[in-house]
Amino acid sequence: MKKTLILASLIAFSMTSVMAAETAVTPETATKSPAVQTDIQKVKPDFKRPGPKTNFKKPPFEERLKLTDKQKEQINELRIKGNEQMKPIMEQVKAKKQEAEAIKRSKMAVEMQEEKLNEIRADLKELQKQAHELRMQNMKDFESILTKKQKKELAKIKKEGRKRFEQEHRRPPMGPRPEGDRGPRHEYQPPVEK
């Protein structure tokens, strides 16, 4: 009886696997049969991956400054030069951050860890200062290419950018809240003595 049951289950299993293999969708059959294509489309997710800032629209920088072809060429050369100068600094920053992570995961004494991390923080601060100075020099080089009219337009663009940044990154005012403000309180409450 057991042998018959095992034999019947083996036959049923082999028949279902053969039928599944015959009805399997291959890339060749998927392109030939419209019915299979609709089934594949049903299985596909309906979403797209969002791109970087897909809804972010602003007038092109070059258009607003009305750059000439020669200026565009010079700016492109400046950009390439600046990237080449910035690359070693950014690689050093990355290496220092990896070093800090390795120290945090190590099993050395806490005091030793803090000492080494403080050294790395000081190095990172110096590298960030170098990167900032390089960016400022690149901005000066960029502005030296522009005409007076373009410099005025650039000043407007910067002012608009600062204003937009302040609106998007607004911090709540310090001190007492205005009348009628019912938002959560973030004021310092001294501890109650018992």
Side-chain angles (χ1 to χ4, degrees), residues 24 40-41 103 133 137 141 165 171 174 176 185:
I40 291 173
Q41 289 171 349
I103 290 171
E133 289 171 358
Q137 183 59 45
D141 293 343
F165 179 84
R171 290 174 46 178
M174 300 300 281
R185 287 197 179 267

Side-chain angles (χ1 to χ4, degrees), residues 29-194:
T29 59
T31 55
K32 293 177 185 173
S33 170
V36 173
Q37 285 180 343
T38 57
D39 289 343
I40 291 173
Q41 289 171 349
K42 289 178 186 174
V43 174
K44 277 183 157 179
D46 293 340
F47 64 88
K48 288 184 181 179
R49 263 191 199 155
K53 296 189 179 186
T54 51
N55 62 353
F56 184 68
K57 292 184 180 180
K58 65 177 184 177
F61 187 70
E62 294 174 352
E63 275 182 37
R64 232 174 124 182
L65 289 179
K66 298 176 183 163
L67 297 173
T68 64
D69 291 337
K70 185 180 178 185
Q71 285 176 323
K72 289 178 187 178
E73 225 175 87
Q74 290 173 326
I75 291 168
N76 194 31
E77 290 171 8
L78 279 176
R79 188 176 298 132
I80 291 169
K81 180 183 149 196
N83 285 343
E84 288 173 359
Q85 291 173 338
M86 189 66 78
K87 195 172 187 177
I89 295 173
M90 298 315 291
E91 287 173 357
Q92 289 176 7
V93 167
K94 185 177 179 181
K96 290 289 181 185
K97 287 183 178 180
Q98 288 173 345
E99 187 180 340
E101 285 300 315
I103 290 171
K104 287 177 186 176
R105 283 179 277 168
S106 71
K107 294 182 178 180
M108 64 175 69
V110 176
E111 296 86 21
M112 188 87 157
Q113 274 186 352
E114 276 303 311
E115 185 179 314
K116 289 190 180 268
L117 288 173
N118 285 335
E119 290 174 14
I120 291 173
R121 287 182 193 118
D123 293 343
L124 281 172
K125 201 170 192 176
E126 181 61 34
L127 289 170
Q128 289 170 347
K129 183 180 175 184
Q130 290 175 10
H132 178 72
E133 289 171 358
L134 185 60
R135 285 187 198 103
M136 292 299 107
Q137 183 59 45
N138 288 343
M139 181 55 87
K140 286 178 185 176
D141 293 343
F142 169 72
E143 289 177 359
S144 69
I145 295 172
L146 301 178
T147 63
K148 287 183 181 182
K149 189 175 183 182
Q150 289 171 330
K151 287 179 184 179
K152 286 181 183 178
E153 186 63 29
L154 180 64
K156 285 182 189 176
I157 292 171
K158 286 181 180 181
K159 188 175 182 181
E160 291 168 5
R162 274 190 219 103
K163 187 176 181 181
R164 189 171 42 253
F165 179 84
E166 288 171 0
Q167 287 175 345
E168 292 172 2
H169 298 87
R170 189 176 304 162
R171 290 174 46 178
M174 300 300 281
R177 294 188 297 180
E179 275 307 307
D181 185 6
R182 302 215 184 267
R185 287 197 179 267
H186 298 289
E187 296 174 3
Y188 172 74
Q189 299 292 327
V192 178
E193 293 181 21
K194 294 182 180 179

Side-chain angles (χ1 to χ4, degrees), residues 3-19:
K3 290 182 182 178
T4 313
L5 187 60
I6 292 173
L7 185 62
S9 62
L10 283 175
I11 292 172
F13 177 75
S14 63
M15 293 297 286
T16 56
S17 62
V18 168
M19 290 183 69

